[in-house]
Amino acid sequence: MHFLIKKISQNDIVIALLVAIGLWIAYELRLLLVILFLAFIVMSGFLPIVNFLKRKGMPAIMAIFVPYVLLTVIVIGIIMPMIPLFGFQFKMLFANIPQYAQAAGNALNGNAGGLSIGAFIKNNAQSIIDMISSNLVLATGHAISGILSLFTALVLSFYMLLDHERFKKQFAAFLSSSRRV
């Protein structure tokens, strides 16, 4: 046998299959892994504030709540002034849709397959509404999913902060036992 050709053993096949299965599992659990990663980042960001408040004599649970309350106040403070602006913009958009449709029709030389743009929209209004509503439902589902994922990450980071010392000890024990192999 040539010295460059290596015989593939059963162990190599088993290892390759285990790696492939592990990658498939990681792919299937990608949302959970992203949530855990986000929770770890939030926990790491809040940890100095929590430790500072604990050193100043605040009870642990209150020291953990303070950064979350501050984050909530900041987010609400940023979003609230934008709500009237978005409302006004949507109102103006819906009020000006006929003008936008006419401008689009003029840009298309007023013709869409031999029909004026107004007649085209009138004839296809139901399919246009169905398309818009299905896209709206899909976008709403994605938005709700994202909000729930963010909420889950924040709750997980809260518990990570609550049990931070225990996690640190277990992680250190895991690393020390894995290096003994």
mmCIF file of all heavy atoms in Angstrom, residues 40 43-44 160 163-180:
data_model
loop_
_atom_site.group_PDB
_atom_site.id
_atom_site.type_symbol
_atom_site.label_atom_id
_atom_site.label_comp_id
_atom_site.label_asym_id
_atom_site.label_seq_id
_atom_site.Cartn_x
_atom_site.Cartn_y
_atom_site.Cartn_z
ATOM 1 N N PHE A 40 -26.299 35.629 27.459
ATOM 2 C CA PHE A 40 -24.953 35.707 28.033
ATOM 3 C C PHE A 40 -24.355 37.098 27.841
ATOM 4 O O PHE A 40 -23.709 37.636 28.751
ATOM 5 C CB PHE A 40 -24.052 34.636 27.402
ATOM 6 C CG PHE A 40 -22.681 34.607 27.989
ATOM 7 C CD1 PHE A 40 -22.458 34.029 29.227
ATOM 8 C CD2 PHE A 40 -21.614 35.162 27.317
ATOM 9 C CE1 PHE A 40 -21.189 34.001 29.781
ATOM 10 C CE2 PHE A 40 -20.350 35.145 27.859
ATOM 11 C CZ PHE A 40 -20.136 34.566 29.095
ATOM 12 N N MET A 43 -26.111 39.418 30.265
ATOM 13 C CA MET A 43 -25.621 39.129 31.608
ATOM 14 C C MET A 43 -24.216 39.715 31.808
ATOM 15 O O MET A 43 -23.937 40.333 32.836
ATOM 16 C CB MET A 43 -25.597 37.615 31.848
ATOM 17 C CG MET A 43 -25.276 37.211 33.260
ATOM 18 S SD MET A 43 -23.647 36.502 33.649
ATOM 19 C CE MET A 43 -23.059 35.726 32.218
ATOM 20 N N SER A 44 -23.374 39.562 30.817
ATOM 21 C CA SER A 44 -22.018 40.097 30.926
ATOM 22 C C SER A 44 -22.016 41.624 30.986
ATOM 23 O O SER A 44 -21.187 42.217 31.676
ATOM 24 C CB SER A 44 -21.178 39.649 29.732
ATOM 25 O OG SER A 44 -21.059 38.251 29.715
ATOM 26 N N MET A 160 -29.350 34.102 34.936
ATOM 27 C CA MET A 160 -27.894 33.932 34.907
ATOM 28 C C MET A 160 -27.224 34.879 35.900
ATOM 29 O O MET A 160 -26.248 34.508 36.547
ATOM 30 C CB MET A 160 -27.351 34.180 33.498
ATOM 31 C CG MET A 160 -27.637 33.108 32.510
ATOM 32 S SD MET A 160 -27.016 33.630 30.888
ATOM 33 C CE MET A 160 -27.090 32.110 29.996
ATOM 34 N N ASP A 163 -27.856 33.503 39.509
ATOM 35 C CA ASP A 163 -27.032 32.346 39.866
ATOM 36 C C ASP A 163 -25.628 32.450 39.285
ATOM 37 O O ASP A 163 -25.007 31.439 38.964
ATOM 38 C CB ASP A 163 -27.689 31.064 39.362
ATOM 39 C CG ASP A 163 -28.904 30.676 40.159
ATOM 40 O OD1 ASP A 163 -29.007 31.112 41.320
ATOM 41 O OD2 ASP A 163 -29.755 29.938 39.629
ATOM 42 N N HIS A 164 -25.117 33.656 39.154
ATOM 43 C CA HIS A 164 -23.827 33.861 38.494
ATOM 44 C C HIS A 164 -22.688 33.095 39.174
ATOM 45 O O HIS A 164 -21.876 32.463 38.502
ATOM 46 C CB HIS A 164 -23.502 35.353 38.435
ATOM 47 C CG HIS A 164 -22.139 35.632 37.891
ATOM 48 N ND1 HIS A 164 -21.835 35.407 36.572
ATOM 49 C CD2 HIS A 164 -21.012 36.091 38.478
ATOM 50 C CE1 HIS A 164 -20.561 35.718 36.375
ATOM 51 N NE2 HIS A 164 -20.045 36.143 37.511
ATOM 52 N N GLU A 165 -22.616 33.160 40.492
ATOM 53 C CA GLU A 165 -21.523 32.493 41.195
ATOM 54 C C GLU A 165 -21.563 30.983 40.997
ATOM 55 O O GLU A 165 -20.529 30.341 40.803
ATOM 56 C CB GLU A 165 -21.563 32.839 42.689
ATOM 57 C CG GLU A 165 -21.227 34.290 42.983
ATOM 58 C CD GLU A 165 -19.854 34.701 42.477
ATOM 59 O OE1 GLU A 165 -18.896 33.912 42.626
ATOM 60 O OE2 GLU A 165 -19.736 35.802 41.917
ATOM 61 N N ARG A 166 -22.763 30.410 41.033
ATOM 62 C CA ARG A 166 -22.889 28.961 40.836
ATOM 63 C C ARG A 166 -22.480 28.584 39.417
ATOM 64 O O ARG A 166 -21.787 27.591 39.203
ATOM 65 C CB ARG A 166 -24.324 28.512 41.107
ATOM 66 C CG ARG A 166 -24.510 27.006 41.080
ATOM 67 C CD ARG A 166 -25.901 26.614 41.523
ATOM 68 N NE ARG A 166 -26.945 27.193 40.702
ATOM 69 C CZ ARG A 166 -27.464 26.608 39.619
ATOM 70 N NH1 ARG A 166 -27.030 25.428 39.248
ATOM 71 N NH2 ARG A 166 -28.413 27.198 38.942
ATOM 72 N N PHE A 167 -22.891 29.387 38.411
ATOM 73 C CA PHE A 167 -22.492 29.126 37.032
ATOM 74 C C PHE A 167 -20.973 29.203 36.880
ATOM 75 O O PHE A 167 -20.369 28.399 36.190
ATOM 76 C CB PHE A 167 -23.146 30.119 36.070
ATOM 77 C CG PHE A 167 -24.578 29.825 35.757
ATOM 78 C CD1 PHE A 167 -25.502 30.847 35.711
ATOM 79 C CD2 PHE A 167 -25.003 28.546 35.487
ATOM 80 C CE1 PHE A 167 -26.826 30.592 35.412
ATOM 81 C CE2 PHE A 167 -26.320 28.279 35.191
ATOM 82 C CZ PHE A 167 -27.228 29.303 35.149
ATOM 83 N N LYS A 168 -20.387 30.194 37.527
ATOM 84 C CA LYS A 168 -18.943 30.362 37.425
ATOM 85 C C LYS A 168 -18.213 29.149 38.006
ATOM 86 O O LYS A 168 -17.264 28.640 37.403
ATOM 87 C CB LYS A 168 -18.541 31.646 38.155
ATOM 88 C CG LYS A 168 -17.150 32.109 37.835
ATOM 89 C CD LYS A 168 -16.899 33.555 38.217
ATOM 90 C CE LYS A 168 -17.049 33.807 39.679
ATOM 91 N NZ LYS A 168 -16.582 35.156 40.061
ATOM 92 N N LYS A 169 -18.668 28.648 39.161
ATOM 93 C CA LYS A 169 -18.046 27.480 39.781
ATOM 94 C C LYS A 169 -18.225 26.234 38.924
ATOM 95 O O LYS A 169 -17.285 25.453 38.747
ATOM 96 C CB LYS A 169 -18.627 27.248 41.173
ATOM 97 C CG LYS A 169 -18.181 28.253 42.193
ATOM 98 C CD LYS A 169 -18.853 28.011 43.530
ATOM 99 C CE LYS A 169 -18.513 29.125 44.511
ATOM 100 N NZ LYS A 169 -19.258 29.003 45.758
ATOM 101 N N GLN A 170 -19.424 26.042 38.386
ATOM 102 C CA GLN A 170 -19.669 24.869 37.547
ATOM 103 C C GLN A 170 -18.862 24.930 36.257
ATOM 104 O O GLN A 170 -18.344 23.914 35.793
ATOM 105 C CB GLN A 170 -21.159 24.738 37.230
ATOM 106 C CG GLN A 170 -21.977 24.267 38.406
ATOM 107 C CD GLN A 170 -23.451 24.164 38.081
ATOM 108 O OE1 GLN A 170 -23.936 24.706 37.086
ATOM 109 N NE2 GLN A 170 -24.191 23.473 38.929
ATOM 110 N N PHE A 171 -18.741 26.105 35.677
ATOM 111 C CA PHE A 171 -17.964 26.249 34.449
ATOM 112 C C PHE A 171 -16.494 25.978 34.726
ATOM 113 O O PHE A 171 -15.821 25.306 33.947
ATOM 114 C CB PHE A 171 -18.171 27.647 33.861
ATOM 115 C CG PHE A 171 -17.614 27.816 32.484
ATOM 116 C CD1 PHE A 171 -18.159 27.126 31.419
ATOM 117 C CD2 PHE A 171 -16.546 28.668 32.258
ATOM 118 C CE1 PHE A 171 -17.652 27.278 30.142
ATOM 119 C CE2 PHE A 171 -16.029 28.819 30.986
ATOM 120 C CZ PHE A 171 -16.589 28.121 29.925
ATOM 121 N N ALA A 172 -15.986 26.486 35.850
ATOM 122 C CA ALA A 172 -14.591 26.228 36.222
ATOM 123 C C ALA A 172 -14.376 24.746 36.480
ATOM 124 O O ALA A 172 -13.353 24.178 36.078
ATOM 125 C CB ALA A 172 -14.217 27.050 37.450
ATOM 126 N N ALA A 173 -15.321 24.082 37.133
ATOM 127 C CA ALA A 173 -15.203 22.647 37.383
ATOM 128 C C ALA A 173 -15.245 21.866 36.072
ATOM 129 O O ALA A 173 -14.496 20.899 35.899
ATOM 130 C CB ALA A 173 -16.325 22.185 38.312
ATOM 131 N N PHE A 174 -16.092 22.301 35.140
ATOM 132 C CA PHE A 174 -16.173 21.636 33.845
ATOM 133 C C PHE A 174 -14.854 21.771 33.092
ATOM 134 O O PHE A 174 -14.364 20.800 32.509
ATOM 135 C CB PHE A 174 -17.313 22.217 33.024
ATOM 136 C CG PHE A 174 -17.354 21.725 31.600
ATOM 137 C CD1 PHE A 174 -17.818 20.453 31.319
ATOM 138 C CD2 PHE A 174 -16.938 22.539 30.556
ATOM 139 C CE1 PHE A 174 -17.842 19.993 30.017
ATOM 140 C CE2 PHE A 174 -16.980 22.092 29.256
ATOM 141 C CZ PHE A 174 -17.432 20.811 28.990
ATOM 142 N N LEU A 175 -14.292 22.966 33.100
ATOM 143 C CA LEU A 175 -13.024 23.169 32.395
ATOM 144 C C LEU A 175 -11.883 22.380 33.019
ATOM 145 O O LEU A 175 -11.051 21.807 32.332
ATOM 146 C CB LEU A 175 -12.673 24.660 32.344
ATOM 147 C CG LEU A 175 -13.477 25.507 31.371
ATOM 148 C CD1 LEU A 175 -13.011 26.937 31.422
ATOM 149 C CD2 LEU A 175 -13.381 24.964 29.961
ATOM 150 N N SER A 176 -11.860 22.340 34.336
ATOM 151 C CA SER A 176 -10.783 21.591 34.993
ATOM 152 C C SER A 176 -10.930 20.093 34.758
ATOM 153 O O SER A 176 -9.941 19.389 34.593
ATOM 154 C CB SER A 176 -10.726 21.914 36.480
ATOM 155 O OG SER A 176 -11.889 21.443 37.124
ATOM 156 N N SER A 177 -12.164 19.583 34.717
ATOM 157 C CA SER A 177 -12.356 18.142 34.472
ATOM 158 C C SER A 177 -12.114 17.803 33.012
ATOM 159 O O SER A 177 -11.649 16.720 32.707
ATOM 160 C CB SER A 177 -13.767 17.714 34.899
ATOM 161 O OG SER A 177 -14.723 18.291 34.055
ATOM 162 N N SER A 178 -12.416 18.719 32.092
ATOM 163 C CA SER A 178 -12.200 18.422 30.674
ATOM 164 C C SER A 178 -10.724 18.470 30.305
ATOM 165 O O SER A 178 -10.292 17.839 29.359
ATOM 166 C CB SER A 178 -12.993 19.386 29.788
ATOM 167 O OG SER A 178 -12.485 20.700 29.919
ATOM 168 N N ARG A 179 -9.918 19.184 31.073
ATOM 169 C CA ARG A 179 -8.480 19.238 30.790
ATOM 170 C C ARG A 179 -7.758 18.019 31.313
ATOM 171 O O ARG A 179 -6.634 17.742 30.920
ATOM 172 C CB ARG A 179 -7.870 20.499 31.392
ATOM 173 C CG ARG A 179 -8.347 21.745 30.693
ATOM 174 C CD ARG A 179 -7.736 22.956 31.308
ATOM 175 N NE ARG A 179 -8.306 24.140 30.679
ATOM 176 C CZ ARG A 179 -7.599 24.966 29.947
ATOM 177 N NH1 ARG A 179 -6.325 24.789 29.775
ATOM 178 N NH2 ARG A 179 -8.182 26.002 29.391
ATOM 179 N N ARG A 180 -8.386 17.257 32.204
ATOM 180 C CA ARG A 180 -7.762 16.060 32.749
ATOM 181 C C ARG A 180 -7.795 14.900 31.763
ATOM 182 O O ARG A 180 -7.113 13.926 31.975
ATOM 183 C CB ARG A 180 -8.496 15.638 34.033
ATOM 184 C CG ARG A 180 -8.167 16.508 35.202
ATOM 185 C CD ARG A 180 -8.760 15.916 36.447
ATOM 186 N NE ARG A 180 -9.440 16.992 37.150
ATOM 187 C CZ ARG A 180 -10.562 16.892 37.798
ATOM 188 N NH1 ARG A 180 -11.167 15.740 37.868
ATOM 189 N NH2 ARG A 180 -11.098 17.908 38.383
#
